[in-house]
Each structure stands twice: as structure tokens, then as C-alpha cells.
Amino acid sequence: MTTAEPRPADSDKLDPAVLKVAGVVVLGAVMAILDTTVVNVALQALTLEFKTSFDTIQWVVTGYMLALATVIPVTGWACDRFGSKRPYLLSIGLFLLGSMLAGMAWNIESLIAFRVLQGFGGGMLMPAGMTIMTRAAGPHRVGRVMAVLGVPMLLGPIGGPILGGWLVDAVSWRWIFYINVPIGAIAFLLAWRILPKDEPRPAEKFDFPGMLMLSPGLALLIFGVSKIPQEGGVSSVGVWLPAVAGLALIVAFVLRAGRIKNPLVDLKLFRNRTFAVAMLTMSFFILAFLGSMLLLPTYFVLVRGESALQAGLLLAPQGIGAMITMPIAGRLADKIGPGKVVLPGILVIIAGLAVFTTQVGANTPYLVLMAGLFVMGLGMGATMMPINAAALQTLTQRSVARASTTMNIVQQAGGGIGSAVMSIILASLLAGKFGVPTSQGQLAATALIMNPRTHDAAAAASADAFASTFLWALILVAVCFIPALFLPKKPAVPAEEEPEAVTA
């Protein structure tokens, strides 16, 4: 090529500089995502260690999620105002400090407090990391860098239960937090040396009233929804009161954001048709697919009697399938358009998920289940990251930080709501099978399955409840097909190359 490129990021291949940046961001993301799944496996051990109830120990997870929801909206403004490197280093530092202190916790209250500190760091890691990678690679290669960023999203759910089960059984629960210390220290040093120098922009007035609406609103909504399985339905005051209050604050934020110049989350992004369609597709996908994925370890542990470690190993085929298709899908999304990749990916997910709606039972051969997981993984690798790429490809470099923040808000809220929806569907189906209140469905199933006299009948009834829950997940994944039809089916034209069109 004889024409000089305007900047290195516009070249077609991922050059070594971009790959180094991607490696730093992936290391930070692996640390955050692994920590979430590792802690989930250790909840039973923590309950026994601190001699507390399951309701209280859940705050180890819920407190972390609420901290994430609180800090994510601020990340876009921080990356615009200070550059993305400094907020990223701050997030790693907070996460590292929270991990060290959580490992030293002396009671359940201190552990929950230090998990909240971890969440403040973890909430900034993904949106700041996405901003750094997208700016480094340029819009032509967003699909490929999103595929790279998808690796920790796959390794976390696969490796987390395996690592967590081993650490809790063979070492100590404290090491599920201490394991982050060397990873975080390396990530901090590499980020300090490798990430490009910050380019702070002229100061914009921080939307402090918007933060007082959106951050507590998201936290209250996620808190209320997360209480649904525990309370047994939406009619409980502990569910609807915080959820309604959170929704009211979010609605107030949206109404105000449309009237001010620099809102905390730029809702004008949704005027971009591609971004709006990608976010709608992502909402349904996260709600259905990730919500249902949380049920799979429960099925293996409850119905099949596997340990947490064995359940993690049985989920490995899904990650293997996704690792095969993800880099290919990222390349294709850049070359032929995300729509042509996402639509077949959704069909493949539906085919794999169908196995769990028709074949899952108390004695289903593991080979059949693992084949279904592998097919679902193939579809996931061709779906999740190309949707993210579609959302970012047509935006200006100036919009990337705010867009990354918006995407992470959608994913965090969708993941929390999806897991709660699937959990309450399962709990209500189990309760119907065993004639108990919804909040007691899983406890009743566990007690009857552990009893040798009722094991076979209870396991069969429980497996049937799981199959019906997966059917609902399949329906919601199928709904994703409708907005996905409107995703771009041609390679994106970078917005910075068409300033007039963007202005219009």
C-alpha cells in the first residue's frame, strides 16, 4: 500500500502494540471475572466458617454487585476527563487492596465490607478496559479486539468453579481472595508500563445529580431483583419496594438526561440506530443466556450429585466451543458485518439449548449434555462479542468511553435480572413439584434427593423442573433473533471518516 495510514490502529492486522494493550486488559478482566465465579463456589464454606445464615452470606455476592452498579456509571466521565489509563490503574489498585483485605477478614461484616471495596475497583475494570482496547485498535478492528476481551468472559465461568473448588477443599477459603494479589500486581505493573499515555480532555461539569439518581437507582433495582429467589416472589416488600424505588430513580435520570448538556450516561448514543439495536439484542441475550447458564452448575450438583469441582469440569465443553468460534467470529464481524455472524450464532445456541429442554433428566448420559454444552459454546462465541462490536463500530472515538459504560450497565443489570428471573422460575417449578412455598422449593428438592427412599422420584421431578426452566430460556434466546435481524450486515464505516454524517 502506497498511501500512508492516518494512524497505526487503522491497519487491518492486530499489530504487536495493540496485542500488548489487549494482554494487559485481558489480565485485569480475568482477575475480576474469576473472582466472581470463585466466590460463588465458596459460599457454603464461608457459611460454615463464620457460623452464619445463607441470607447473610449472600451479601458477600450482593454487596460486590451493588458496588459494581454504583461505580460503573462514573467510569465514562472519568475516562473522558482524566484519560483511560489512570482510572484503569485506580480500578486495579482498589481491587487488589480489597482482595488482600478480604483474605484477612476476621468476621462476616468485615468480609462484606472488603468485598464492597473490591466491587468499586471491579466496576471500573471492564468499561475502562473496553475503552482502552477500542481506542487502541480503531473501529475497523473492534470485532477482533472484542473477541480477545471475550476470552476472560469464557475462562471465568469455566475456570472459576474449578479453581474455587480446589482452593476451598485443598488450601483455604482465604486463598480465593489472595490468588488475586499476584495477578493484580502483575496487571498493575504491566498497565503502568504498556498502556499509552493518557490524553485528558477539557473538563466537563460532572453530572453529580445524575450520579445521585443513576448509581443508587441501579443498586436498588439489582438488590430488589436479587431478593426474588430468597423471598419467593415479587409480592414481598423486600423485593418490590427497593426495585420500584430503583426504577423511579432510573426513570428520573433518563428524563433529566435528555434535557442537560453532559449527562452521566449519554442517552444520545441511542440515536445511533446500530448502537440502539445492538443494546436491545444484548439485553435479551444477557437476560436469557447468562441467566440460564447459572442454572447448569445447580443441575449437576442438585440432581446429579456432583461436587462443585466436578460441576465446573463438566461445564468445560461450553468454553471450548466458544474459544473455537470467538476469534473467527470477531474477524468475520469486521469483514462481513456483525449481523451475518450473530444470526447464525443465535440459531446454534437454540440448537444446543434444545438438548436441555428435551433430553435433560435424572440419568441423561453426560456425553449428550456435554455435546449440547459444546454446541451452545459455539453459538455463544459467535454471538456475544460481535454484538458488542456492532455497538461500538459506528461510534466516534469521543463516544467510546460513554458507550462502554452504557454497555456495561446493560450487561450488569441484565445479568442480575436474568439470574433472578431464571432462579424464580426454577424455584416455583420445584415448589409445585413438591407442594411447598416458592421460597422453599430448592430446599425441599435437596432434602428429598438426599433421602435414599425418595431420591429417584425427587431427582426425576427436579430434572423435569430444570427442563421447563431451560425451555423458558430457549424462548427468550429466540426473541433475540428479532432485534438481531436489524444488526449491520456490511462492514462498518468508521464514524470519524464521516464527520458531516455524524453531525447530521
Side-chain angles (χ1 to χ4, degrees):
M1 182 179 286
T2 56
T3 304
E5 298 286 342
R7 57 180 188 271
D10 288 335
S11 60
D12 195 47
K13 291 181 64 177
L14 291 179
D15 53 80
V18 174
L19 289 174
K20 286 181 181 178
V21 171
V24 172
V25 173
V26 165
L27 191 60
V30 164
M31 179 177 66
I33 296 173
L34 261 181
D35 182 80
T36 303
T37 53
V38 164
V39 171
N40 288 341
V41 172
L43 289 180
Q44 182 63 27
L46 293 173
T47 303
L48 298 174
E49 172 70 22
F50 293 113
K51 298 180 176 61
T52 186
S53 67
F54 190 74
D55 289 353
T56 302
I57 210 69
Q58 275 293 107
W59 277 95
V60 174
V61 175
T62 304
Y64 181 85
M65 287 178 60
L66 297 183
L68 287 181
T70 301
V71 78
I72 284 175
V74 184
T75 310
W77 175 84
C79 287
D80 280 345
R81 174 63 185 85
F82 302 107
S84 49
K85 181 175 181 176
R86 278 179 278 185
Y88 191 71
L89 288 171
L90 175 63
S91 66
I92 294 177
L94 285 175
F95 193 89
L96 187 58
L97 178 61
S99 298
M100 292 173 61
L101 293 173
M104 299 163 60
W106 52 91
N107 57 29
I108 188 59
E109 291 80 12
S110 63
L111 178 59
I112 292 170
F114 297 143
R115 281 285 287 168
V116 169
L117 181 61
Q118 264 191 315
F120 287 139
M124 289 189 286
L125 272 174
M126 287 302 289
M130 288 174 67
T131 301
I132 291 167
M133 288 180 64
T134 305
R135 287 177 174 172
H140 283 56
R141 303 178 293 184
V142 166
R144 269 163 277 191
V145 297
M146 284 297 111
V148 173
L149 192 57
V151 172
M153 293 185 176
L154 298 172
L155 293 179
I158 298 166
I162 298 171
L163 178 63
W166 178 75
L167 287 173
V168 170
D169 292 342
V171 191
S172 165
W173 66 267
R174 297 184 183 277
W175 277 92
I176 65 175
F177 302 111
Y178 287 149
I179 195 70
N180 294 321
V181 176
I183 300 175
I186 294 170
F188 189 92
L189 291 174
L190 291 177
W192 180 270
R193 293 182 60 100
I194 293 174
L195 294 185
K197 187 178 178 181
D198 278 327
E199 297 180 8
R201 300 178 185 273
E204 293 178 350
K205 185 178 179 181
F206 180 64
D207 182 16
F208 192 74
M211 187 194 75
L212 293 180
M213 295 178 190
L214 186 57
S215 291
L218 286 170
L220 284 168
L221 176 61
I222 292 173
F223 173 71
V225 171
S226 69
K227 296 275 285 184
I228 291 176
Q230 177 186 327
E231 298 289 342
V234 297
S235 59
S236 170
V237 175
V239 173
W240 66 260
L241 185 60
V244 169
L247 278 174
L249 286 171
I250 293 170
V251 169
F253 171 83
V254 170
L255 294 175
R256 179 178 176 276
R259 301 195 306 269
I260 66 173
K261 186 177 180 181
N262 295 307
L264 191 63
V265 173
D266 188 3
L267 300 182
K268 296 182 180 69
L269 289 168
F270 288 93
R271 295 177 184 175
N272 182 308
R273 176 180 176 276
T274 301
F275 182 82
V277 169
M279 287 297 93
L280 184 59
T281 308
M282 176 61 71
S283 299
F284 282 110
F285 181 79
I286 292 287
L287 187 74
F289 186 75
L290 294 190
S292 63
M293 286 308 95
L294 293 175
L295 301 180
L296 284 167
T298 307
Y299 164 76
F300 285 124
V301 173
L302 178 64
V303 179
R304 307 304 291 264
E306 304 291 353
S307 68
L309 177 59
Q310 290 167 328
L313 290 169
L314 287 167
L315 294 174
Q318 184 186 24
I320 294 170
M323 290 176 71
I324 292 172
T325 54
M326 191 168 280
I328 300 170
R331 207 172 297 119
L332 289 175
D334 289 338
K335 290 185 177 295
I336 65 175
K340 293 180 180 178
V341 180
V342 172
L343 290 171
I346 292 173
L347 290 176
V348 173
I349 289 175
I350 291 172
L353 197 53
V355 171
F356 289 87
T357 63
T358 59
Q359 299 294 321
V360 70
N363 299 296
T364 305
Y366 279 143
L367 188 61
V368 173
L369 298 178
M370 294 172 78
L373 284 169
F374 179 72
V375 173
M376 287 168 62
L378 292 174
M380 181 183 175
T383 304
M384 189 168 179
M385 287 301 129
I387 294 173
N388 282 339
L392 296 175
Q393 278 178 338
T394 58
L395 299 178
T396 62
Q397 290 280 330
R398 183 75 177 86
S399 304
V400 165
R402 301 294 178 99
S404 298
T405 297
T406 305
M407 290 166 61
N408 277 270
I409 290 173
V410 169
Q411 291 175 5
Q412 189 66 31
I417 293 171
S419 60
V421 167
M422 292 301 160
S423 296
I424 193 63
I425 291 173
L426 177 64
S428 61
L429 289 169
L430 288 171
K433 297 284 184 185
F434 302 115
V436 296
T438 302
S439 59
Q440 302 295 316
Q442 193 165 331
L443 293 174
T446 302
L448 291 170
I449 288 174
M450 292 180 66
N451 187 334
R453 291 180 296 176
T454 57
H455 173 272
D456 292 345
S462 299
D464 187 58
F466 275 95
S468 299
T469 307
F470 284 122
L471 178 61
W472 280 102
L474 186 147
I475 293 170
L476 288 174
V477 170
V479 171
C480 293
F481 204 83
I482 298 172
L485 287 170
F486 299 95
L487 290 173
K489 297 179 178 63
K490 293 181 180 179
V493 177
E496 50 269 274
E497 293 180 7
E498 295 183 339
E500 298 83 8
V502 171
T503 303

